[in-house]
Amino acid sequence: WHTEHLVRFAPTAWAYEPPAAAPPAGALPPCRANGHVTFGCFNNFIKVSDETLDTWAALLAAVPGARLRLKAQGLGDPAVAAFVRSRLARLGVADERLDLLDRTPGLAAHLALYESVDVALDTFPYHGTTTTCEALWMGVPVVTRTGDRHAARVGTSLLTAVGHPEFVAASAADYVRVAAGLAADPARLAALRGSLRRALQRSPLLDHAGQAERFGAALRASWRHYCARTAAAA
């Protein structure tokens, strides 16, 4: 699906700059205090496909008592919220298990809401990018489902880059298995709360100088390749 010569220059295509306004990651997952697990997704809701909703409903069925917290622009509108709730109700998700939040006035307040989420859920086939990095920076593991094209492999790339490919699912059933497994292990969630930010700091995603150097070297190599090909043609 391309005509260009592809150049793979780095372990991941991405770089991330953590916001200075980010609060510290919470010390403990909220399930410790709440008595129930909270799954969350703060992605743009236009990315939430029917297949994603089907999988989230299956996950909630597999984890009794768990709640789903969704945050996106428009979810504060009563008509939009009613539409979302009706879609999930048709899939067997009780209304009291849903929390719908609209946009927050600032980035710090947005990131602080991860204090209320135990496990973040990626959308598919269109993955999150900045949203995934923000969740990881706040100590919240992200479960994604890998696909067969760029938009469906962003989460795969990000999670592999931070050293957690085990959060990448290959199918809807696998997605439920991975997310339910995390929900059932509060001790692991607590350990991740304290380690994911360091994992990001050590990863290629925050190696800005190295990523720039790799990109520069790729440009030079591409130019040399072009020059050699042109000379051969002449």
Side-chain angles (χ1 to χ4, degrees), residues 7-230:
V7 177
R8 305 189 186 279
F9 67 91
T12 182
W14 315 104
Y16 176 61
E17 178 67 31
L28 293 173
C31 62
R32 287 284 180 89
N34 295 336
H36 65 262
V37 169
T38 301
F39 298 108
C41 179
F42 295 174
N43 288 1
N44 188 326
F45 202 77
I46 200 170
K47 296 181 180 181
V48 180
S49 64
D50 287 341
E51 191 175 9
T52 300
L53 287 179
D54 288 343
T55 304
W56 288 352
L59 173 60
L60 290 174
V63 186
R67 297 181 67 92
L68 177 61
R69 171 162 278 205
L70 305 177
K71 178 181 183 291
Q73 184 173 0
L75 291 183
D77 183 296
V80 175
F83 174 67
V84 172
R85 291 181 183 278
S86 68
R87 287 175 72 186
L88 283 161
R90 288 195 294 271
L91 297 172
V93 178
D95 191 65
E96 61 269 18
R97 301 182 74 182
L98 290 177
D99 296 317
L100 303 183
L101 307 174
D102 210 328
R103 287 173 62 92
T104 45
L107 182 58
H110 166 73
L111 294 175
L113 282 171
Y114 280 107
E115 291 273 354
S116 66
V117 175
D118 292 288
V119 180
L121 304 176
D122 199 7
T123 52
F124 57 87
Y126 199 118
H127 290 180
T129 307
T130 302
T131 309
T132 295
C133 291
E134 288 175 345
L136 295 171
W137 188 250
M138 295 308 299
V140 180
V142 181
V143 178
T144 193
R145 177 181 169 182
T146 197
D148 63 356
R149 63 204 66 201
H150 170 85
R153 297 186 64 82
V154 174
T156 308
S157 178
L158 295 173
L159 291 167
T160 301
V162 299
H164 285 288
E166 72 274 18
F167 300 159
V168 179
S171 65
D174 198 31
Y175 187 107
V176 171
R177 178 190 63 79
V178 173
L182 285 166
D185 195 346
R188 189 176 185 209
L189 290 176
L192 289 167
R193 212 89 182 175
S195 67
L196 282 174
R197 186 171 290 196
R198 290 195 301 274
L200 261 174
Q201 290 169 331
R202 294 192 299 264
S203 78
L205 295 167
L206 266 71
D207 180 17
H208 301 151
Q211 191 78 328
E213 184 177 352
R214 288 186 286 271
F215 182 60
L219 291 177
R220 297 289 288 171
S222 296
W223 176 247
R224 292 190 183 103
H225 174 77
Y226 169 79
C227 291
R229 189 176 58 185
T230 303

